[in-house]
């Protein structure tokens, strides 16, 4: 069943959104998706600091839209009682568009796609080939950098033991990095931790579902969310 929100620009609507995001980083799933964009589009502005979880989520989605965009499909969300906030996009006059297209064609004519390599490019290619040959190693599998939120059950959870439990997980291709405690609200803090994974060896979904949220670690860990996922 799709998640539903009502009148997001009212105090009651923002309160419901803030409570919903207390234990979540995104509207649905473990990564930003079209559901986040849908809810984002109904908000006239960033929620005030009073709604700490909604404000944190809004700023994160706003940054993603400005930097890299959002590609996740999502699971579906319904927003009632208000209309999406849209900004008019200026459309250039037809004549200007044609002139611009003609200029682009002229520019394309000037681009030499099959030009000869420069001496610098040849030298760099030779150095890379020599280094690869000297190493005698196969190409290493891709890696990813992941920023994860690990949420406790309540404000009485021992966060030191929670972090120890998280770091006790050992998998080939998994390396934990820096971490910090981040206030969530109502006296609760979450663990935000960096990790590096070898893509062919570690699945983030498997890590969360079969290692971080099962016994005995789930004595401390209530849920995990992916804040950022970047290829290295």
């Amino acid at each position: 069943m799709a998640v539903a929100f009502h009148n997001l620009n009212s105090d009651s609507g923002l309160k419901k959104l803030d409570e919903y995001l207390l234990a979540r980083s995104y509207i649905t799933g473990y990564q930003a998706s079209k559901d986040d964009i849908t809810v984002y589009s109904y908000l006239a502005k960033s929620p005030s600091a009073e709604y700490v979880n909604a404000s944190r989520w809004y700023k994160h989605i706003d940054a993603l839209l400005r930097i890299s965009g959002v590609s996740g499909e999502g699971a579906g969300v319904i927003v009632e009682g208000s209309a999406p906030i849209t900004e008019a996009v200026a459309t250039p006059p037809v004549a200007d568009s044609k002139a611009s297209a003609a200029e682009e064609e002229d520019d394309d004519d000037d681009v030499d796609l099959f030009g000869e390599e420069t001496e610098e490019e040849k030298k760099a290619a030779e150095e890379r080939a020599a280094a690869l040959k000297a190493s005698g190693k196969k190409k290493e599998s891709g890696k990813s950098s992941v920023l994860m939120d690990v949420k406790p059950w309540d404000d009485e959870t021992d966060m030191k033991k929670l972090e120890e439990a998280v770091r006790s997980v050992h998998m080939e291709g998994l390396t934990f990095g820096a971490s910090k405690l981040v206030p969530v609200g109502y006296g609760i803090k979450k663990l935000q931790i960096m990790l590096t994974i070898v893509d062919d060896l570690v699945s983030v979904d498997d890590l969360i579902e079969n290692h971080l949220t099962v016994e005995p670690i789930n004595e401390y860990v209530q849920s995990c969310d992916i804040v950022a996922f970047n290829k290295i």
Side-chain angles (χ1 to χ4, degrees):
M1 183 176 179
V3 181
F5 298 100
H6 182 78
N7 199 0
L8 285 172
N9 290 300
S10 68
D11 288 340
S12 60
L14 284 172
K15 183 178 180 181
K16 180 179 178 180
L17 177 63
D18 189 66
E19 291 174 348
Y20 178 82
L21 291 168
L22 173 63
R24 299 174 176 85
S25 293
Y26 301 105
I27 299 300
T28 57
Y30 296 127
Q31 63 177 338
S33 70
K34 293 178 181 178
D35 294 342
D36 294 279
I37 297 177
T38 298
V39 176
Y40 174 92
S41 69
Y42 277 85
L43 292 167
K45 60 181 180 179
S46 174
S48 66
E50 175 186 356
Y51 306 104
V52 58
N53 305 304
S55 176
R56 177 257 308 159
W57 165 85
Y58 183 96
K59 291 176 181 177
H60 178 54
I61 298 303
D62 185 67
L64 285 179
L65 291 174
R66 294 175 186 275
I67 298 172
S68 60
V70 173
S71 58
E73 287 298 321
V77 64
I78 299 171
V79 181
E80 302 172 336
S82 56
I85 309 300
T86 58
E87 296 181 359
V89 178
T91 304
V94 175
D96 289 349
S97 297
K98 290 181 178 179
S100 177
E103 290 176 2
E104 288 180 1
E105 289 180 1
D106 290 341
D107 290 342
D108 289 342
D109 291 339
D110 294 335
V111 177
D112 184 3
L113 296 176
F114 302 98
E116 295 183 0
E117 280 187 311
T118 64
E119 289 299 323
E120 290 80 1
E121 290 171 337
K122 287 181 180 179
K123 184 177 180 181
E126 291 171 357
E127 290 176 351
R128 286 194 297 271
L132 182 60
K133 185 177 180 180
S135 66
K137 296 180 181 178
K138 294 182 179 179
K139 185 177 180 182
E140 188 179 64
S141 173
K143 292 183 178 181
S144 297
S145 173
V146 182
L147 179 60
M148 180 184 294
D149 279 348
V150 183
K151 300 184 178 69
W153 287 102
D154 51 40
D155 59 344
E156 296 182 357
T157 300
D158 188 325
M159 296 305 292
K160 183 177 180 181
K161 290 185 178 179
L162 180 147
E163 181 171 358
E164 290 175 352
V166 169
R167 291 183 181 274
S168 71
V169 174
H170 296 288
M171 298 174 64
E172 184 180 1
L174 170 66
T175 304
F176 287 104
S179 64
K180 64 178 180 179
L181 295 180
V182 179
V184 175
Y186 309 102
I188 300 174
K189 293 183 179 180
K190 63 183 177 182
L191 173 70
Q192 195 165 83
I193 188 167
M194 290 290 302
L195 48 140
T196 301
I197 62 172
V198 176
D199 298 333
D200 290 346
L201 300 177
V202 180
S203 162
V204 176
D205 289 340
D206 174 67
L207 173 63
I208 293 174
E209 295 173 9
N210 298 319
H211 296 274
L212 294 177
T213 54
V214 297
E215 294 182 349
I217 297 179
N218 63 359
E219 178 182 350
Y220 307 102
V221 175
Q222 184 263 336
S223 64
C224 300
D225 292 316
I226 303 303
V227 179
F229 191 108
N230 299 297
K231 296 290 184 182
I232 299 177

